């Protein structure tokens, strides 16, 4: 990838950081992510690639005392640093140009809802794989094109097809939606062996609908927990897809 493309990507990421906003559900899903991964976490040194405003970084800090965060958006790093202080090491860099020292291998690398933003996600996974220790694992989460809520939106005429990008997706810098077949294709192309696959949170409603339903008491936290549990049974219909590679 040439320098002009990298420079444009850096500018794009910083522009996105300036306008990025979250639904309450976006914050909730991070806690469901770690619950889905907890049985498979490898202790030791951890790296998070892409931190946004640090919600998931804070969750990781409870599991990893040695935690490094890399992001190309200075605003995201500033938010995360203000949130966590010295509980993490912060690196401002594009993934494509970051190179840890030989002794700085990681036991756990997390790329959470980030691959869909990248020009070349396969190259990023391939590079991350090279930074793993022999026992290390790469934890990958992406939005699911086949989530029940998206399929319903297609049937309602709100989306043209399951992989369609919305105005909000473009605003947030999303380039792609994944399904299990395309997700697994890219991880295999990156040279990863998949040791676990799953779905996170069976999703019958759009983010804003979940937020409104919770706010007005139409659904409650017990309902949310049930959706999380159903995700184990129906991973193809979940909000997010999880792969763990080595």
């Amino acid at each position: 990838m040439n320098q002009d493309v990298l420079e444009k990507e850096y500018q794009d990421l910083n522009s996105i950081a300036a306008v990025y906003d979250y639904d309450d559900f976006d914050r909730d899903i991070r806690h469901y992510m770690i619950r889905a991964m907890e049985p498979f976490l490898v202790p030791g040194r951890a790296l998070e690639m892409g931190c946004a405003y640090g919600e998931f970084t804070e969750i990781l800090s409870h599991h990893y005392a040695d935690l490094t965060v890399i992001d190309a958006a200075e605003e995201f790093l500033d938010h995360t640093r203000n949130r966590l202080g010295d509980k993490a090491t912060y690196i401002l860099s594009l993934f494509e140009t970051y190179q840890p020292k030989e002794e700085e291998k990681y036991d756990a690398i997390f790329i959470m809802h980030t691959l869909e933003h990248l020009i070349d996600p396969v190259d990023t996974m391939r590079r991350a794989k090279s930074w793993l220790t022999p026992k290390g694992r790469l934890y990958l989460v992406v939005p699911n094109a086949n989530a029940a809520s998206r399929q319903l939106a297609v049937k309602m005429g709100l989306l043209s097809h399951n992989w369609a990008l919305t105005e909000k997706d473009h605003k947030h810098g999303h380039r792609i939606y994944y399904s299990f077949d395309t997700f697994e294709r890219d991880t295999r192309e990156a040279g990863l062996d998949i040791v676990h696959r799953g779905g996170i949170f069976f999703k019958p409603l759009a983010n804003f609908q979940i937020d409104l339903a919770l706010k007005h008491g139409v659904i409650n936290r017990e309902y949310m927990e049930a959706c999380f549990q159903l995700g184990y049974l129906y991973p193809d219909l979940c909000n997010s897809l999880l792969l763990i590679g080595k």
Side-chain angles (χ1 to χ4, degrees):
M1 192 178 299
N2 65 44
Q3 189 60 42
D4 289 342
V5 173
L6 290 177
E7 181 62 28
K8 183 179 186 305
E9 184 177 4
Y10 180 85
Q11 292 170 354
D12 288 347
L13 286 167
N14 278 279
S15 297
I16 290 164
V19 298
Y20 210 98
D21 62 307
Y22 283 138
D23 300 296
D24 289 340
F25 177 76
D26 288 319
R27 298 183 175 90
D28 285 341
I29 197 66
R30 284 158 175 74
H31 294 278
Y32 294 121
M33 286 178 189
I34 197 67
R35 285 181 59 190
M37 290 185 287
E38 271 178 334
F40 310 98
L41 292 181
V42 176
R45 299 187 73 236
L47 172 68
E48 183 186 25
M49 299 177 66
C51 61
Y53 291 120
E55 285 94 348
F56 193 75
T57 319
E58 184 172 7
I59 293 169
L60 284 178
S61 72
H62 297 298
H63 294 268
Y64 292 95
D66 190 341
L67 174 61
T68 298
V69 181
I70 175 174
D71 203 293
E74 192 164 6
E75 181 177 338
F76 283 157
L77 283 177
D78 287 343
H79 275 278
T80 303
R81 187 182 291 107
N82 290 336
R83 190 183 193 108
L84 289 179
D86 60 3
K87 292 182 180 179
T89 300
Y90 308 93
I91 298 173
L92 177 65
S93 175
L94 287 166
F95 302 152
E96 294 87 347
T97 57
Y98 175 63
Q99 185 59 53
K101 297 177 182 177
E102 183 61 33
E103 65 273 14
E104 291 178 340
K105 296 287 187 178
Y106 299 98
D107 303 296
I109 299 178
F110 298 85
I111 308 180
M112 305 287 103
H113 277 219
T114 299
L115 292 174
E116 66 271 17
H117 294 265
L118 304 180
I119 294 174
D120 192 343
V122 172
D123 180 66
T124 294
M125 287 189 283
R126 188 180 293 118
R127 289 172 58 79
K129 173 179 174 283
S130 71
W131 306 334
L132 289 170
T133 64
K135 69 172 184 178
R137 295 290 183 269
L138 184 57
Y139 302 86
L140 305 165
V141 175
V142 296
N144 180 18
N146 292 323
S149 58
R150 290 186 66 81
Q151 295 196 51
L152 284 165
V154 171
K155 299 302 183 187
M156 294 171 65
L158 301 176
L159 292 176
S160 61
H161 58 286
N162 291 5
W163 288 264
L165 294 172
T166 66
E167 182 180 344
K168 186 173 182 179
D169 286 320
H170 288 295
K171 174 184 173 184
H172 287 178
H174 296 170
R175 300 176 187 273
I176 189 174
Y177 269 86
Y178 277 100
S179 52
F180 264 125
D181 59 339
T182 58
F183 195 15
E184 292 179 352
R185 174 204 64 198
D186 281 4
T187 55
R188 287 193 298 269
E189 189 176 340
L192 289 159
D193 293 326
I194 299 169
V195 299
H196 176 74
R197 73 196 294 273
I200 303 170
F201 196 89
F202 174 82
K203 193 183 180 201
L205 301 169
N207 290 17
F208 79 93
Q209 292 171 322
I210 291 175
D211 289 345
L212 285 172
L214 281 170
K215 179 180 178 181
H216 295 289
V218 177
I219 63 175
N220 55 22
R221 286 295 164 183
E222 287 74 20
Y223 179 92
M224 299 286 283
E225 178 63 22
C227 287
F228 174 69
Q229 295 298 332
L230 275 177
Y232 289 111
L233 298 178
Y234 305 107
D236 287 334
L237 299 177
C238 282
N239 176 79
S240 303
L241 303 177
L242 165 67
L243 291 179
I244 301 175
K246 67 175 182 177

